[in-house]
């Protein structure tokens, strides 16, 4: 559902103070009512066509999350409803710095003026990892890393129209020895980067490389503040080494003097759910802004008992405690909504960013819809142009059907990212569904017998 600027909209439009201070580095600018329908919504978080500018130059990080705006600053901003929520590159106060602020529409959204190109380009740099986590793989694995020639092709065709490059998923990005060149190429386009790492390889040199790049948010996967739990979940990990890596990253950010967000990310399961508040405290003590979390997805190689699907009240309780502690520490905890509120799922009408606003490209050039659709290729960048793939029938079919009862990609019906928390299929691989149904039936029978 792309949003275009109406012809009668006068842009650029000057936005004058006063700007309401919201939190941390963040401020709010109020736009005229006609801009409300253009704003981002849940599940369409990159649809706004507006850029927010300071003295005629667009701020660097568009469609940003609140945690980036409030806790990192540095020019993160987002258009929601009639409001622009924003921070400034130097984290100054827009009410007193004497600068001029405007909103405008970008000049081009695609090469030939057709369907707008994706704003988020998700590139998997490595299908090799130095760990073999229980939540991901059954055994150590290695696969291809992206060649520079392929990355250059992606950059040349996509980056001029993108607002964010994501470097995560599939493997450890720091294992790709082309990373310095990749970061420099993104910087040539001024493209903000979201990156993810397990933290094991964050030497002072590599931490400095990240700090000097256009990374606006780096997420380090730490599922527990307890050595034994983390090393059980992430086989091959060393707790103390990860802590050193986190300290290296915080120190490099301070030395370089460039604001960007550092967060910890956890996969929540029954083995670590009661540790969530302590994980928030762990992050704060290391100088890290906060913690994000997602529910465990039980792959074929795992059992079904670790999922919080079986301990919903416990997750809801620990989530509330983590949020309360984070507030007291001027930190944050963002995890999936409570199970108790699942009936009020906030993903509006099943909208998803990726079919229209994002794309996912593997190291071998295969284009996928997203990170949870590994067996649904849409094209191959090594032999096709991105325009051909993006406008191809397979992509178009996905866009037409993903919100229907018969999506071309079956995973869209039960997507954990979309927080389909009432649907067990969102938590478990199809190989587990029969076993899960039997366990649910047995639990129901026990509850009925107990009630009698």
């Amino acid at each position: 559902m792309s949003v275009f600027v109406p012809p009668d909209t006068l842009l650029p439009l000057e936005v004058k103070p006063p700007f309401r201070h919201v939190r941390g580095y963040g401020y709010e600018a109020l736009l005229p009512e006609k801009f409300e329908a253009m704003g981002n919504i849940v599940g369409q978080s990159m649809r706004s066509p507006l850029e927010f500018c300071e003295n005629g130059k667009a701020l660097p990080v568009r469609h940003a999350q609140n945690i980036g705006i409030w806790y990192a600053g540095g020019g993160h901003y987002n258009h929601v409803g009639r409001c622009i929520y924003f921070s400034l590159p130097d984290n100054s106060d827009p009410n007193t710095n004497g600068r001029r602020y405007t909103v405008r529409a970008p000049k081009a959204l695609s090469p030939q003026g057709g369907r707008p190109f994706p704003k988020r380009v998700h590139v998997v740099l490595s299908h090799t990892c130095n760990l073999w986590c229980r939540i991901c793989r059954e055994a150590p694995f290695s696969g291809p890393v992206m060649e520079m020639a392929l990355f250059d092709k992606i950059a040349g065709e996509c980056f001029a129209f993108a607002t964010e490059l994501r470097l995560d998923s599939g493997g450890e990005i720091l294992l790709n020895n082309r990373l310095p060149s990749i970061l420099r190429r993104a910087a040539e386009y001024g493209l903000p980067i979201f990156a993810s790492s397990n933290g094991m390889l964050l030497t002072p040199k590599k931490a400095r490389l990240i700090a000097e790049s256009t990374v606006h948010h780096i997420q380090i996967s730490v599922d527990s503040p307890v050595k034994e739990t983390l090393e059980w979940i992430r086989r091959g990990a060393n707790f103390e080494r990860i802590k050193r890596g986190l300290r290296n990253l915080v120190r490099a950010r301070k030395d370089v003097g460039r604001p960007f967000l550092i967060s910890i990310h956890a996969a929540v399961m029954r083995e670590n759910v009661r540790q969530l508040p302590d994980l928030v405290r762990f992050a704060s003590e290391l100088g890290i802004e906060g913690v994000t979390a997602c529910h465990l997805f039980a792959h074929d190689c795992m059992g079904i008992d670790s999922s919080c699907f079986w301990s919903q009240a416990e997750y809801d309780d620990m989530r509330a405690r983590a949020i309360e502690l984070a507030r007291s520490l001027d930190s944050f905890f963002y995890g999936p909504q409570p199970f108790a509120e699942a009936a009020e799922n906030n993903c509006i009408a099943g909208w998803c960013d990726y079919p229209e606003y994002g794309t996912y490209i593997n190291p071998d050039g295969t284009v996928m819809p997203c990170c949870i659709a590994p067996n649904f290729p849409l094209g191959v960048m090594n032999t096709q142009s991105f325009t051909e793939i993006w406008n191809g029938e397979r992509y178009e079919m996905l866009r037409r059907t993903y919100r229907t009862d018969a999506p071309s990609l079956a995973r869209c019906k039960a997507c954990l990212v979309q927080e389909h928390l009432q649907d067990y299929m969102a938590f478990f691989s199809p190989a587990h569904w029969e076993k899960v149904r039997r366990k649910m039936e047995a639990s129901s029978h026990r509850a009925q017998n107990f009630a009698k």
Side-chain angles (χ1 to χ4, degrees):
M1 189 178 67
S2 299
V3 177
F4 298 96
V5 180
D8 61 345
T9 301
L10 298 178
L11 290 176
L13 173 74
E14 185 170 5
V15 185
K16 298 181 179 180
F19 301 111
R20 183 175 73 90
H21 178 250
V22 181
R23 184 176 181 179
Y25 298 113
Y27 293 83
E28 175 191 82
L30 189 64
L31 303 177
E33 288 185 9
K34 62 184 175 182
F35 290 95
E36 183 170 3
M38 302 179 196
N40 295 326
I41 59 175
V42 176
Q44 297 275 275
S45 66
M46 296 177 280
R47 74 173 189 173
S48 171
L50 300 184
E51 291 180 333
F52 190 68
C53 304
E54 181 182 69
N55 289 343
K57 182 179 180 180
L59 299 188
V61 189
R62 189 172 160 203
H63 308 307
Q65 294 176 296
N66 287 343
I67 55 176
I69 300 169
W70 309 156
Y71 293 97
H76 287 76
Y77 70 100
N78 194 24
H79 173 205
V80 180
R82 290 181 60 193
C83 299
I84 300 281
Y85 295 99
F86 69 99
S87 60
L88 297 180
D90 63 352
N91 288 336
S92 62
D93 184 343
N95 292 296
T96 59
N97 63 16
R99 301 166 196 162
R100 182 172 178 264
Y101 296 95
T102 55
V103 291
R104 71 183 184 195
K107 294 181 180 179
L109 300 174
S110 65
Q112 287 91 30
R115 171 179 288 279
F117 260 31
K119 297 179 180 179
R120 176 181 295 154
V121 180
H122 197 148
V123 176
V124 181
L125 295 185
S126 172
H127 268 168
T128 296
C129 194
N130 51 336
L131 306 180
W132 59 102
C133 306
R134 295 177 189 273
I135 58 179
C136 183
R137 308 279 179 168
E138 189 172 14
F141 69 99
S142 63
V145 295
M146 183 166 287
E147 299 291 342
M148 198 64 207
L150 175 57
F151 188 84
D152 284 341
K153 183 175 190 290
I154 295 167
E157 295 188 31
C158 299
F159 284 7
F161 312 102
T163 59
E164 182 186 61
L165 170 64
R166 291 182 76 94
L167 301 178
D168 70 333
S169 188
E172 172 54 48
I173 65 169
L174 296 177
L175 288 172
N176 190 322
N177 60 18
R178 301 168 187 84
L179 184 61
S181 298
I182 285 167
L183 295 179
R184 284 195 296 271
R185 185 55 45 86
E188 290 172 6
Y189 289 86
L191 190 58
I193 299 170
F194 172 96
S196 180
S197 170
N198 59 40
M200 283 282 289
L201 303 177
L202 273 172
T203 62
K205 182 178 180 179
K206 289 182 178 177
R208 181 90 183 194
L209 176 71
I210 297 295
E212 291 178 341
S213 71
T214 58
V215 167
H216 74 92
H217 182 184
I218 183 166
Q219 170 182 284
I220 308 300
S221 298
V222 181
D223 304 293
S224 172
V226 178
K227 173 181 172 67
E228 293 76 15
T229 306
L230 180 130
E231 292 181 357
W232 178 82
I233 295 171
R234 295 190 174 269
R235 291 172 295 198
N238 181 290
F239 182 72
E240 292 301 328
R241 187 172 174 182
I242 293 171
K243 283 180 67 176
R244 286 197 298 272
L246 290 167
R247 291 192 179 103
N248 289 338
L249 193 57
V250 171
R251 188 180 302 113
R253 178 175 62 178
K254 181 179 179 181
D255 291 346
V256 171
R258 184 181 70 85
F260 61 94
L261 187 69
I262 305 172
S263 68
I264 279 175
H265 185 72
V268 183
M269 61 197 82
R270 296 176 82 175
E271 287 82 1
N272 68 356
V273 65
R274 299 198 66 82
Q275 299 168 0
L276 291 178
D278 289 336
L279 189 60
V280 170
R281 190 179 300 280
F282 172 82
S284 179
E285 289 173 351
L286 288 171
I288 293 166
E289 285 75 69
V291 175
T292 61
C294 65
H295 281 301
L296 166 74
F297 179 80
H299 294 284
D300 293 1
C301 61
M302 301 179 61
I304 66 172
D305 293 331
S306 290
S307 174
C308 285
F309 183 78
W310 309 114
S311 53
Q312 299 184 7
E314 183 177 43
Y315 166 75
D316 289 357
D317 180 37
M318 289 300 108
R319 177 185 183 273
R321 294 189 190 193
I323 290 172
E324 182 179 6
L325 177 61
R327 287 173 177 161
S328 73
L329 297 173
D330 193 26
S331 178
F332 63 81
F333 176 82
Y334 281 101
Q337 65 176 323
F339 284 93
E341 298 175 10
E344 301 175 6
N345 192 319
N346 63 356
C347 284
I348 298 174
W351 287 115
C352 175
D353 282 325
Y354 268 84
E356 293 183 82
Y357 302 112
T359 195
Y360 185 94
I361 306 173
N362 278 321
D364 63 359
T366 305
V367 178
M368 303 290 186
C370 64
C371 66
I372 61 173
N375 299 311
F376 196 84
L378 298 164
V380 182
M381 285 288 291
N382 287 319
T383 58
Q384 297 172 276
S385 71
F386 187 77
T387 298
E388 180 183 357
I389 298 169
W390 184 244
N391 295 320
E393 176 55 27
R394 197 162 168 81
Y395 239 131
E396 289 297 331
M397 178 65 74
L398 175 67
R399 296 182 185 110
R400 290 195 299 268
T401 64
Y402 82 91
R403 297 173 60 235
T404 70
D405 292 333
S408 60
L409 174 59
R411 288 289 293 126
C412 294
K413 287 190 69 174
C415 176
L416 191 56
V417 178
Q418 290 277 55
E419 299 198 10
H420 292 158
L421 301 186
Q422 293 179 317
D423 191 340
Y424 69 86
M425 290 184 259
F427 292 82
F428 303 97
S429 163
H432 293 313
W433 289 353
E434 181 57 36
K435 187 185 296 185
V436 171
R437 284 193 289 265
R438 289 199 301 268
K439 182 169 181 173
M440 292 170 66
E441 290 167 2
S443 298
S444 177
H445 290 155
R446 285 197 297 270
Q448 290 172 8
N449 292 334
F450 180 80
K452 292 177 182 178

